[in-house]
């Protein structure tokens, strides 16, 4: 169990960061798509003309909606439309007033351009009150207030006279592979980059080189004995087994990390001596000519703060959202038992923020103490992936005590989705995570508390629904009656044997842990990581369809008032989803 829990902890943060693609390849599909001026930031281009976010990700603006309806192509119809309602056609705004432009050609005009999705002039009554379709904004004025804000990274610690900085980035000219997704890592030995000493990292700022491909970045702390590889390398979800302690992250909408004035991440003689950065490159059109040298700038000081800080993750993983639903609410409770088990004393939260993908509409994290709500750490009534709302508690950090509960609630809307949405890293998948920055580091022995599937907490056996034996009893599986019955009556490859079907139905009747979502969870998240468990999964799967039909036949008969089911399966819960993982090891 401990090994499995550690594996989950390693990948959790990395899942979070695969949430959105900017699709800047579409710049090539409209005239002057890469040089459209920002309406309120001088000498700046709007990277994704069809998006509300000027960096080019997330919800589409009025022009983006029309562009999508035309199949993401420049057509005469799209050219002649006035998507933003300011009296100028899209062609006039983009430099193709006669609608003659063809892809890979030069537009008739490359100056005097304007944004086809933003009504201008911005301060006109007509444009200020223009309605827009976005979960956060009702009018263009509200949208522009957000998008016109300065993007300069500010942090009070950077005004101190003795802070220093380290730049961790990929070498200039680093080639981006011609594939959609690449995780690239680079390791650094701080002992070769800083003077000997004991420091606190007090801020982290992203260095963005090629915004066409950079999707997210993670800073990892490495163990002292980690061998440092000098060259960059493809790394999958983590830099290495010895570099998996997440210290800072950057993704769309974030400008950097600025820590509470009383805390810092320890570097140097008493802290991390080796670090790694991980970059996720997103190259959906698989271009072979991209290069990128993005990275992070670390600000540190010998003027150490009173406390060492850490990052903690709460929430839910391994869930499925049904399609065409107005409201789906998921909850995960980091229980009192859990916080007592890994907290040595009080911790203090200085910052908190939520993370879902585009089906997410509301999210909150609340502290429960003595069975009553104490307060919310986050409470977003209107969640927007593109504009993370970070809650700061600089004036009064929030105390979390051993025995407190953390309840994370995520609400989703899948009305526009025709297929089920799985938990995962892709844009069309979903997540439910909250991130907390806290101190003191030594009072917390775990860096996550995550529910899985039907809100099972690995740190609290009370949440196992009476199925602890099926969770933990790996070493003794081959001595159980379940194992004996299945191995003697079922075969891995071949038809479903009648005796196999009957023994499965009997065990499902007698053991509720072999039914419904708790059984699907046990199979997917527990058994398939163990050779004996994997064998049982595949033996169950040999008669999955036949068992499903038998149970639904019983359900149908019971609904009609008949009692034609065999006695040994009366009373079985008949809601058995077919979700099979074949895991031959």
């Amino acid at each position: 169990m401990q090994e499995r829990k550690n594996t989950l902890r390693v990948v959790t943060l990395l899942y979070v960061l695969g949430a959105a693609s900017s699709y800047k390849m579409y710049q090539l599909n409209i005239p002057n798509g890469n040089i459209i001026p920002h309406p309120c930031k001088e000498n700046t281009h709007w990277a994704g003309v069809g998006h509300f976010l000027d960096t080019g990700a997330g919800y589409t603006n009025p022009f983006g909606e029309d562009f999508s309806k035309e199949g993401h192509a420049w057509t005469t119809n799209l050219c002649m439309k006035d998507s933003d309602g300011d009296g100028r056609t899209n062609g006039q705004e983009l430099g193709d007033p006669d609608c003659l432009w063809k892809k890979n050609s030069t537009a008739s005009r490359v100056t005097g351009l304007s944004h086809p999705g933003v009504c201008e002039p911005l301060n006109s009554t007509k444009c200020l009150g223009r309605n827009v379709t976005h979960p956060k904004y009702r009018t263009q004025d509200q949208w522009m207030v957000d998008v016109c804000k300065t993007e300069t990274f500010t942090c009070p610690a950077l005004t101190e006279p003795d802070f220093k900085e380290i730049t961790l980035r990929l070498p200039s000219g680093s080639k981006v592979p011609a594939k959609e997704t690449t995780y690239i890592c680079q390791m650094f030995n701080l002992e070769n980059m800083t003077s000997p000493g004991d420091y606190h990292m007090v801020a982290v700022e992203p260095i963005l080189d090629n915004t066409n491909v950079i999707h997210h970045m993670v800073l990892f702390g490495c163990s002292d004995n980690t061998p440092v590889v000098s060259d960059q390398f493809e790394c999958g979800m983590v830099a290495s087994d010895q570099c998996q302690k997440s210290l800072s992250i950057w993704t769309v909408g974030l400008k950097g990390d600025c820590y509470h004035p009383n805390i810092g991440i320890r570097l140097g003689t008493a802290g991390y001596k080796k670090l790694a950065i991980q970059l996720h490159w997103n190259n959906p059109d698989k271009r072979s000519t991209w290069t990128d040298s993005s990275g992070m700038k670390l600000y540190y000081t010998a003027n150490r703060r009173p406390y060492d800080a850490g990052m903690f993750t709460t929430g839910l993983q391994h869930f499925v959202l049904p399609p065409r639903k107005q409201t789906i609410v998921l909850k995960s409770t980091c229980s009192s038992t859990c916080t007592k088990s890994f907290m040595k004393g009080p911790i203090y939260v200085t910052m908190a923020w939520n993370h879902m993908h585009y089906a997410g509409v509301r999210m909150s994290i609340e502290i429960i103490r003595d069975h009553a709500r104490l307060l919310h750490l986050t409470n977003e009534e209107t969640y927007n992936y593109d504009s993370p709302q970070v809650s700061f508690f600089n004036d009064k950090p929030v105390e979390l005590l051993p025995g407190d509960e953390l309840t994370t609630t995520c609400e989703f809307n899948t009305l526009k989705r025709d297929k089920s949405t799985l938990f995962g890293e892709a844009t069309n998948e979903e997540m439910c995570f909250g991130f907390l920055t806290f101190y003191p580091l030594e009072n917390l022995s775990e860096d996550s508390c995550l529910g899985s599937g039907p809100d099972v907490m690995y740190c609290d056996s009370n949440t196992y629904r009476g199925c602890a034996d099926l969770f933990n009893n790996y070493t003794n599986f081959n001595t159980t009656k379940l194992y004996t019955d299945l191995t003697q009556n079922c075969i891995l490859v071949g038809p479903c044997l009648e005796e196999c079907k009957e023994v499965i139905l009997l065990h499902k009747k007698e053991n509720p842990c072999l039914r419904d979502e708790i059984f699907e969870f046990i199979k997917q998240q527990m058994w398939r990581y163990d050779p004996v468990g994997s064998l049982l999964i595949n033996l169950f799967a040999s008669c999955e369809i036949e068992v499903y039909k038998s149970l639904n036949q019983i359900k149908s008969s019971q609904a009609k008032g008949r009692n034609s089911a065999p006695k040994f399966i009366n009373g079985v819960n008949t809601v058995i989803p077919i979700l099979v993982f074949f895991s031959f090891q």
Side-chain angles (χ1 to χ4, degrees), residues 395-420:
D395 293 336
K396 188 177 181 181
V398 176
E399 184 181 53
L400 186 63
L401 299 176
D404 286 348
E405 294 184 354
L406 282 172
T407 298
T408 304
T409 304
C410 295
E411 183 176 328
F412 302 92
N413 182 319
T414 61
L415 274 178
K416 296 183 178 180
R417 302 193 176 195
D418 294 326
K419 295 183 178 180
S420 295

Side-chain angles (χ1 to χ4, degrees), residues 414-452:
T414 61
L415 274 178
K416 296 183 178 180
R417 302 193 176 195
D418 294 326
K419 295 183 178 180
S420 295
T421 301
L422 305 181
F423 167 85
E425 62 183 25
T427 306
N428 61 349
E429 295 173 327
E430 267 304 334
M431 293 183 176
C432 173
F433 289 132
F435 297 102
L436 314 178
T437 300
F438 72 94
Y439 71 90
L441 180 63
E442 61 269 18
N443 277 1
L444 205 58
S445 61
E446 300 285 346
D447 51 23
S448 66
C449 187
L450 299 168
S452 293

Side-chain angles (χ1 to χ4, degrees), residues 50-62:
H51 294 269
F52 278 97
L53 198 65
D54 52 9
T55 52
Y59 296 100
T60 48
N61 60 38

